[in-house]
């Protein structure tokens, strides 16, 4: 952080490493014009050189010879404290953003409109570093040239070819000494991926049987890894999680036994 020549007591900070002004009072986008001019000057000086530069060992950044092949998609990891808006706001100054998705809690994929823009962004990261809200995430090219293909590649890599991998999980709650409802299951599952529907289809003294449908195999896999074998309450309500063979769940009303989190129709919530 640098100050102007009026001395250290002058509190107006200049630009952070990510190009935005410090402080809260001036708005998140303040100073972006000067940042854009600096970027244009840098782009002119680099003349969009190839990415082969001396290696950098800065924390949070791969060495330059470890970069994936250039892609319009940027993969951002170690970003669990950031939001989609944070990512979009920080990167849109480097070029038009086609989309931002989050395959998992600590990962984002960002697609630039052109390969030139994404290459320029990665060059900027390697030459100057990059912070988003004072966080230094790990940045690299994505595994494909567009978001749907990149998501599919990451999902396939995440599942690792597991037999029967599916976006619907069968979740059995063993020794259910306390009530298990759709709200309880949603609270447990939603931190690990977007939950679409939950159906509790059988209850008895030994166990509660349920199905949870996620938006992707990756989300379901993240959830299974995180909660399988855990207790909902201390010493009871143990979670036994496996992949279901069901491809989708049918929900006709929202209550303690079934819930559709994608349907905003008031009739289904009645």
């Amino acid at each position: 952080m640098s100050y102007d020549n009026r001395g250290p007591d002058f509190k107006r900070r200049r630009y952070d490493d990510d190009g935005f002004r410090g402080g809260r009072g001036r708005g998140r986008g303040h100073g972006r014009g000067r940042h854009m001019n600096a970027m244009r000057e840098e782009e002119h000086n680099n003349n969009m050189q190839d990415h082969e530069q001396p290696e950098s060992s800065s924390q949070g950044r791969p060495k330059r010879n470890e970069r994936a092949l250039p892609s319009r998609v940027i993969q951002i990891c170690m970003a669990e404290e950031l939001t989609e808006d944070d990512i979009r706001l920080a990167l849109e100054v480097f070029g038009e953003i086609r989309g931002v998705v989050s395959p998992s809690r600590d990962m984002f994929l960002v697609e630039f409109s052109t390969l030139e823009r994404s290459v320029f962004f990665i060059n900027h990261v390697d030459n100057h570093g990059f912070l988003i809200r004072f966080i230094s995430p790990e940045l690299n090219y994505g595994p494909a040239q567009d978001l749907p293909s990149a998501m599919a590649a990451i999902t396939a890599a995440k599942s690792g070819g597991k037999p029967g991998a599916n976006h619907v999980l069968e979740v059995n709650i063993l020794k259910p000494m306390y009530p298990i409802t759709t709200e309880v299951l949603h609270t447990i599952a939603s931190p690990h991926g977007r939950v679409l529907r939950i159906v509790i289809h059988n209850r008895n003294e030994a166990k509660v049987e349920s199905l949870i449908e996620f938006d992707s195999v990756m989300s379901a896999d993240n959830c299974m890894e995180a909660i399988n074998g855990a207790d909902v309450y201390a010493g009871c309500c143990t979670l036994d999680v496996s992949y279901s063979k069901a491809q989708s769940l049918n929900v006709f009303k929202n209550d303690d036994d079934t819930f559709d989190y994608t349907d905003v129709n008031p009739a289904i919530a009645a």
Side-chain angles (χ1 to χ4, degrees), residues 53-267:
Q53 301 280 348
E55 289 188 359
S56 169
S57 58
S58 299
Q59 184 177 5
R61 285 182 279 158
K63 293 180 180 179
R64 300 185 184 198
N65 60 1
E66 295 176 355
R67 288 290 187 200
L69 293 176
S71 164
R72 294 199 310 268
V73 176
I74 301 299
Q75 183 172 318
I76 303 175
C77 299
M78 300 173 62
E80 59 271 10
E81 297 181 21
L82 300 175
T83 67
E84 183 175 314
D85 287 341
D86 293 330
I87 300 295
R88 184 181 292 274
L89 183 66
L91 270 66
E92 66 183 4
V93 296
F94 293 91
E96 180 185 353
I97 301 295
R98 284 188 174 176
V100 180
V101 297
S102 179
S104 62
R105 293 183 65 191
D106 65 343
M107 181 190 298
F108 291 89
L109 296 175
V110 181
E111 182 181 348
F112 280 99
S113 59
T114 66
L115 181 62
E116 181 184 51
R117 292 291 90 197
S118 65
V119 170
F120 175 56
F121 170 67
I122 291 295
N123 282 339
H124 175 88
V125 171
D126 286 337
N127 290 329
H128 305 289
F130 192 70
L131 298 178
I132 305 175
R133 284 179 45 202
F134 302 100
I135 295 170
S136 178
E138 182 178 308
L139 298 137
N140 208 337
Y141 293 112
Q145 291 295 325
D146 57 78
L147 287 181
S149 300
M151 283 287 290
I154 290 174
T155 298
K158 181 71 175 178
S159 64
K162 296 176 183 177
N166 191 15
H167 69 291
V168 180
L169 295 181
E170 182 176 332
V171 181
N172 295 326
I173 300 90
L174 311 180
K175 299 182 293 182
M177 296 177 59
Y178 298 96
I180 299 297
T181 65
T182 51
E183 181 180 1
V184 170
L185 292 177
H186 187 265
T187 300
I188 295 168
S190 59
H192 310 291
R194 184 185 173 212
V195 175
L196 302 184
R197 299 170 188 87
I198 296 177
V199 172
I200 299 175
H201 57 87
N202 189 31
R203 298 176 183 269
N204 56 54
E205 293 183 358
K207 64 180 178 180
V208 173
E209 299 177 358
S210 69
L211 296 170
I212 302 179
E213 181 182 351
F214 289 87
D215 63 336
S216 68
V217 175
M218 177 175 287
S219 294
D221 196 59
N222 288 339
C223 183
M224 183 164 67
E225 289 184 2
I227 72 173
N228 189 30
D231 291 340
V232 179
Y233 303 101
C236 67
C237 301
T238 303
L239 298 167
D240 179 22
V241 186
S242 60
Y243 291 114
S244 172
K245 294 182 179 179
Q247 292 302 307
S248 63
L249 303 180
N250 294 320
V251 173
F252 301 100
K253 62 178 180 177
N254 290 340
D255 58 19
D256 287 345
D257 290 326
T258 62
F259 212 105
D260 186 342
Y261 297 93
T262 70
D263 198 324
V264 296
N265 183 357

